Amino acid sequence: MEPQSQDLKTAPFLTLGRFHISEDYGFLLPSPLRELPGHYSPWMEIANRLPQLIESRQLRAQVNEILPRNLALPFVEVSRNLGLPPILVHSDLVLANWTTRNPGGNLDTIVSFPGGESLRGFVLVTVLVEKAAVPGIKALVQAVNAILQPSPDSLLQALQQLRVSIQDITGALGQMHDYVDPDIFYAVIRIFLSGWKDNPALPVGLVYEGVSKEPLSYSGGSAAQSTILHAFDEFLGVRHSKESADFLYRMRDYMPPSHRAFVEEIRLAPSLRTHVLSSGNRQLLTAYNQCVESLAALRTYHLALVTKYLITAASKAKAQRTSHLPRPPQALEERGTGGTAVVSFLKSVRDKTLEALLHPSG
């Protein structure tokens, strides 16, 4: 049955295209550019040689410790045009930094930095996580529209698809064990994601020459900058503690504006929890709770990964003082790349996810 035009004016149906989200690739950029136009060749030459320049200690001959004017000005201008802060963010490192290497479709990164195969694995496993989320993103759209219509069968199907997608995300995340060495992540990769906000190693931030005389502070790249869980939380009605919520909301400023708008659209949509409870439909309630349980299980798994790659790796690095790997700044120990006290944060968001479970009345 076709919806009436009057209903569409008050409650327009949700589509992915309106938010520049791909039907096939989700939040990933479908075809990231491997090369920029010739005008940008000085920057591309540095970017393509970044690991070698850093490892041979030649980068500072190319780039001053204070971000020099010839980099700071275009970096800030491009970032402003994109609606992103001028620092390496999730959309830079992952969403727009993947390509296929050959007709077989093997994935590769476009721009890299020190960390070798572990860095490559870290980026590409995260790409696979984003890809695994695509059916879940589509399910959100189907579910919101099913509430507006309403269509209980379509909503039930969407919730079941969302649960499967969340479980597939957990499976994709598990490939970190196969492709990322914890010691290299801790001592090398994490340093380049750390940013200069809530980072004791750079307490006053970084001077962007020609932009501001005072140092500027921005958070480093973080999984919390991925739009996936923000959208799932808003859809399922998960409510986090004030401290966690403040951090998560700040991370939305590090997302592409259209993705941020998608999360906001999900937040403003009719409440799924209210709809499920008022429907009295036990199948919907069970399907909803299975989504919440799967999301909590994903967060528990993420917590285990962080323990391995941060806490355990930190203990190992302290014990092996003669290790061939560099010692990361002591101030960064047990902090996430976004600047959080990561274990307590992840435990809190997991526990608050479980609090969203619905209990049938009678």
Side-chain angles (χ1 to χ4, degrees), residues 291-326:
C291 288
V292 172
E293 288 165 350
S294 296
L295 186 56
L298 168 58
R299 285 182 155 138
T300 297
Y301 191 81
H302 186 206
L303 178 58
L305 272 180
V306 167
T307 300
K308 173 181 176 178
Y309 282 89
L310 186 60
I311 309 304
T312 305
S315 299
K316 188 176 176 184
K318 288 177 186 175
Q320 296 179 336
R321 298 191 180 279
T322 57
S323 169
H324 66 286
L325 293 170

Side-chain angles (χ1 to χ4, degrees), residues 197-257:
K197 182 178 177 65
D198 300 327
N199 180 350
L202 261 114
V204 297
L206 180 73
V207 173
Y208 288 66
E209 190 179 53
V211 176
S212 171
K213 292 182 180 179
E214 297 299 319
L216 301 177
S217 295
Y218 297 103
S219 296
S222 166
Q225 294 167 4
S226 171
T227 311
I228 300 168
L229 296 191
H230 290 258
F232 291 176
D233 277 348
E234 293 291 4
F235 174 66
L236 294 170
V238 175
R239 294 291 173 257
H240 295 293
S241 69
K242 185 181 186 307
E243 186 177 4
S244 297
D246 287 348
F247 172 73
L248 288 168
Y249 275 107
R250 181 156 60 82
M251 289 298 97
R252 293 184 187 182
D253 293 336
Y254 291 72
M255 297 176 187

Side-chain angles (χ1 to χ4, degrees), residues 47-63:
N48 289 332
R49 295 169 53 222
L50 204 53
Q52 298 93 323
L53 288 170
I54 293 171
E55 288 162 4
S56 62
R57 301 183 182 275
Q58 294 178 334
L59 181 63
R60 287 179 187 174
Q62 310 282 332
V63 182

Side-chain angles (χ1 to χ4, degrees), residues 159-235:
L159 290 174
Q160 290 167 341
Q161 180 59 69
L162 176 59
R163 172 182 56 81
V164 172
S165 180
I166 294 170
Q167 291 169 344
D168 288 344
I169 290 169
T170 307
L173 190 60
Q175 294 186 64
M176 286 289 178
H177 295 294
D178 300 324
Y179 295 103
V180 184
D181 183 305
D183 297 338
I184 293 175
F185 176 83
Y186 179 76
V188 181
I189 296 171
R190 190 173 56 98
I191 309 310
F192 293 94
L193 301 178
S194 294
W196 29 91
K197 182 178 177 65
D198 300 327
N199 180 350
L202 261 114
V204 297
L206 180 73
V207 173
Y208 288 66
E209 190 179 53
V211 176
S212 171
K213 292 182 180 179
E214 297 299 319
L216 301 177
S217 295
Y218 297 103
S219 296
S222 166
Q225 294 167 4
S226 171
T227 311
I228 300 168
L229 296 191
H230 290 258
F232 291 176
D233 277 348
E234 293 291 4
F235 174 66

Side-chain angles (χ1 to χ4, degrees), residues 98-108 128:
W98 68 279
T99 187
T100 50
R101 204 164 32 178
N102 50 42
N106 291 337
L107 294 176
D108 204 354
L128 294 178

